[in-house]
Amino acid sequence: MEQATWSVGRVAKRCGIKVSTLHFYEEKGLIRSWRNAGNQRRYKRDVLRRISVIKAAQKMGISLAEIKNAFAALPDSRTPTMEDWQLLSARWRDDINARIAYLERLRDSLTSCIGCGCLSMEKCPIYNEDDKLAVRGSGPVILDRK
């Protein structure tokens, strides 16, 4: 079994994150450390991969709660293997595609009516006369359509 020999500073430097981020991830249950005889945190080398998965997932907009749930679903909450990463990223792909589609609709609607009910735009390609779109929900319902 691999020994936990990596110091907090070494892991932080290698991963390009702050020591406080390591402590935060540990507090959230995303990574784990062990204490040496001097009560200093030590990490196993596989924490580098775990942190890399966290950073990659965060760049895709995946929340820490979702990442934690994904890690918890792995056998013995192990560090993700390459195969695990392929499965995790595939699960997140649909969510990412939905967010991309929403952002594209938002981008394309920035200067037009979004169905919010304000009735203030003089030129609206889908003018919301008498706020008829209110029956579809609150907020910018045109942006939320699929």
Side-chain angles (χ1 to χ4, degrees), residues 53-72:
V53 169
I54 293 167
K55 289 176 66 175
Q58 284 185 297
K59 284 182 180 182
M60 291 186 287
I62 307 301
S63 72
L64 290 178
E66 291 173 285
I67 297 167
K68 183 178 179 179
N69 289 338
F71 283 169

Side-chain angles (χ1 to χ4, degrees), residues 55-135:
K55 289 176 66 175
Q58 284 185 297
K59 284 182 180 182
M60 291 186 287
I62 307 301
S63 72
L64 290 178
E66 291 173 285
I67 297 167
K68 183 178 179 179
N69 289 338
F71 283 169
L74 297 174
D76 300 321
S77 295
R78 72 174 177 232
T79 295
T81 63
M82 182 181 290
E83 293 80 20
D84 293 330
W85 171 244
Q86 290 172 351
L87 291 171
L88 293 174
S89 61
R91 286 184 207 148
W92 293 327
R93 190 171 292 125
D94 288 340
D95 183 49
I96 292 166
N97 286 336
R99 278 186 277 155
I100 289 169
Y102 179 80
L103 289 170
E104 287 174 341
R105 285 193 307 275
L106 179 61
R107 178 201 61 213
D108 295 344
S109 300
L110 287 175
T111 58
S112 64
C113 178
I114 57 174
C116 65
C118 74
L119 308 178
S120 64
M121 295 187 74
E122 291 181 27
K123 287 191 171 191
C124 183
I126 29 186
Y127 186 68
N128 185 16
E129 186 177 346
D130 298 323
D131 197 20
K132 290 178 182 171
L133 291 173
V135 298

Side-chain angles (χ1 to χ4, degrees), residues 43-63:
Y43 298 91
K44 293 183 179 181
R45 185 179 179 87
D46 69 348
V47 77
L48 303 177
R49 185 172 350 115
R50 200 168 180 94
I51 292 169
S52 294
V53 169
I54 293 167
K55 289 176 66 175
Q58 284 185 297
K59 284 182 180 182
M60 291 186 287
I62 307 301
S63 72

Side-chain angles (χ1 to χ4, degrees), residues 12-52:
K13 183 177 181 182
R14 179 62 184 88
C15 292
I17 60 176
K18 296 179 180 180
V19 169
S20 60
T21 302
L22 280 176
H23 295 170
F24 178 76
Y25 287 166
E26 192 168 347
E27 179 184 308
K28 295 295 181 186
L30 295 164
I31 62 172
R32 181 177 175 201
S33 70
W34 289 261
R35 298 287 180 155
N36 66 11
N39 202 29
Q40 297 171 324
R41 283 183 170 98
R42 292 291 183 248
Y43 298 91
K44 293 183 179 181
R45 185 179 179 87
D46 69 348
V47 77
L48 303 177
R49 185 172 350 115
R50 200 168 180 94
I51 292 169
S52 294

